[in-house]
Amino acid sequence: MEKSRLEKQFDFCREIDKEKFIGRQTYLSDASRKENDSEHAWHMAIMTLILSEYANEDIDILKTISMLLIHDLVEIDAGDTYAYDEDGKKTQHAREIAAAERIFGLLPEDQGTKFRALWDEFESGNTPESRFARTMDRVQPMMLNAASEGKSWKEHGVHLSQILSRNETTKDGSATLWEYALHNFIEPHVEKSCIKND
């Protein structure tokens, strides 16, 4: 028998609880443990409420927050690909596309289509909301890396050139936040040798 709309919605809500088990490489600000995907999403959503005034363009804040809350749900199936894992990045897109099909496919069709469109928009980075969301997705871990005295950067032997390459488009969502992150999160940790200077 076909599941009801409400049953499908609860199936999805139960499934996304698994995001809490997806570990990331970024430490919490006190460096006591690494954050998980759901903590990352919550943190960026709140940061967007606070920092959206620095967006380069006018943005729909609810749409941006919605993107940030769902964009890593695909990692339930695909796993987290560390920002500087070059081998993992080779298969990341294919893994995440398959995950998006399955996970958003649990919802009633209209909602699944809407969520998938938001996910695709985040991935494309070609709208004001997706540009700002992608800025948040890069600034939040930099902020935590800086707060934890570069613990994850040191563990992974991250080079300045890698950080600058990853953040080539961070300014597209907010030039102000990128400049702040560069001068307050990155440069001091190059000086402290937490980030390798090429």
Side-chain angles (χ1 to χ4, degrees):
M1 191 171 93
E2 175 74 15
K3 288 186 177 182
S4 72
R5 180 177 181 86
L6 186 56
E7 286 173 321
K8 290 178 181 178
Q9 290 166 328
F10 269 114
D11 282 349
F12 179 81
C13 291
R14 273 188 294 273
E15 184 68 11
I16 65 170
D17 184 68
K18 294 176 182 175
E19 188 181 32
K20 298 172 186 173
F21 304 112
I22 306 301
R24 292 173 47 80
Q25 293 303 311
T26 308
Y27 283 88
L28 301 182
S29 57
D30 69 354
S32 62
R33 67 171 174 84
K34 294 175 180 176
E35 70 175 352
N36 65 49
D37 268 0
S38 62
E39 292 167 327
H40 172 61
W42 162 83
H43 206 177
M44 291 185 299
I46 298 256
M47 287 174 68
T48 296
L49 284 174
I50 296 164
L51 301 173
S52 58
E53 65 189 84
Y54 301 106
N56 291 344
E57 307 160 272
D58 288 338
I59 60 169
D60 178 330
I61 295 172
L62 178 59
K63 183 180 182 184
T64 306
I65 288 173
S66 298
M67 269 185 218
L68 288 167
L69 290 174
I70 70 164
H71 87 281
D72 278 340
L73 292 179
V74 295
E75 293 182 1
I76 291 168
D77 289 356
D80 177 61
T81 303
Y82 181 53
Y84 306 109
D85 176 3
E86 297 309 318
D87 285 337
K89 284 192 219 173
K90 292 174 185 172
T91 62
Q92 180 180 8
H93 187 66
R95 286 183 284 118
E96 291 186 350
I97 289 283
E101 290 291 325
R102 185 191 76 79
I103 293 165
F104 299 135
L106 295 172
L107 284 163
E109 188 175 353
D110 63 315
Q111 288 184 320
T113 299
K114 181 180 178 182
F115 275 42
R116 176 59 192 270
L118 277 172
W119 184 80
D120 286 334
E121 185 176 334
F122 175 88
E123 290 296 303
S124 74
N126 62 8
T127 63
E129 289 79 13
S130 62
R131 284 189 282 274
F132 191 77
R134 290 170 72 87
T135 294
M136 288 290 95
D137 195 34
R138 285 170 172 71
V139 168
Q140 187 262 358
M142 284 190 280
M143 178 187 72
L144 290 182
N145 268 305
S148 63
E149 291 303 317
K151 189 169 182 177
S152 181
W153 285 327
K154 287 187 282 190
E155 282 182 0
H156 292 279
V158 174
H159 291 251
L160 177 61
S161 60
Q162 292 175 288
I163 295 173
L164 295 178
S165 176
R166 175 164 172 75
N167 286 283
E168 283 177 342
T169 60
T170 300
K171 67 182 183 309
D172 295 349
S174 173
T176 300
L177 295 180
W178 164 241
E179 286 296 319
Y180 186 89
L182 177 64
H183 299 311
N184 294 276
F185 303 150
I186 298 170
E187 290 174 348
H189 288 86
V190 172
E191 291 170 14
K192 294 176 184 178
S193 299
C194 299
I195 298 167
K196 293 182 178 182
N197 196 356
D198 308 298

